[in-house]
Amino acid sequence: MREDVLERLLTAERLRSSAEVTGSSAGALRLSAWNMRASASVMELAGVVEVVARNALDRELRAWAAARSGRPWFDVAPPDARGTADLAKARARAGRNARLDEVHGRVIAELTFGFWRYLVESRHHTSLWVPDLHRAFPHGPDNLRVRRSEVTRRLQQLHFVRNRAAHHEPIHARDLHRDHDYAIELLDWISPVAAEWAACTTSLRAVLATRPSA
């Protein structure tokens, strides 16, 4: 294999962190290849968490809105300025800028992982979390403040590593075992069935066992 050609194509800068760990060009290429597989597995697991979490939160937001106004939660939930802007963009994309009738599920699909992450942060503790959103994670810690904090921490970590994986950045220096366990635990707080399914069907744990030693 022409290592010099691959180094030019991938760039020394991108391979630097791998070379620092392995001490050789060949080792850096092996670790970089493994990093690609790990990134794909992170994206797979993050996708499961995102879909399950957003559906659970959407269910509770629908109940929250129905008890107060009967209108869609898009119209009555009180996210901060960033959340409001994200929601407006999602509704515009889902409706193709008002050319289509609004379909609830299409709007949910257009909302980013970041929207749901910010929705469970401390800024919404009193307005949304305590009255309703905590029910999206019924198997989490009993104390609602602790539950929100721990849900937020896990979503933050998963969002961060998912974004690095999506942009093809090195993730080999992260504690990916912790990221995997955080993701499965978060799913378990929503539904033990979902957690068991993800643990059995996603590939990150198996990929971690194949990491090259040098």
Side-chain angles (χ1 to χ4, degrees), residues 64-79:
W64 180 92
R68 286 158 178 78
S69 70
R71 298 166 60 197
W73 69 258
F74 304 150
D75 295 326
V76 296

Side-chain angles (χ1 to χ4, degrees), residues 55-87:
N55 287 344
L57 288 164
D58 174 53
R59 181 188 65 241
E60 298 307 327
L61 285 165
R62 288 194 193 207
W64 180 92
R68 286 158 178 78
S69 70
R71 298 166 60 197
W73 69 258
F74 304 150
D75 295 326
V76 296
D80 61 8
R82 174 172 181 160
T84 299
D86 287 347
L87 185 53

Side-chain angles (χ1 to χ4, degrees), residues 108-147:
I108 297 302
E110 290 287 352
L111 286 165
T112 66
F113 197 141
F115 174 85
W116 304 105
R117 166 192 161 182
Y118 289 116
L119 202 64
V120 299
E121 291 194 345
S122 59
R123 69 196 76 184
H124 299 120
H125 184 82
T126 301
S127 59
L128 290 173
W129 179 262
V130 171
D132 207 73
L133 288 188
H134 70 274
R135 295 186 179 90
F137 307 90
H139 306 290
D142 290 337
N143 183 286
L144 293 188
R145 189 171 296 278
V146 171
R147 188 186 306 181

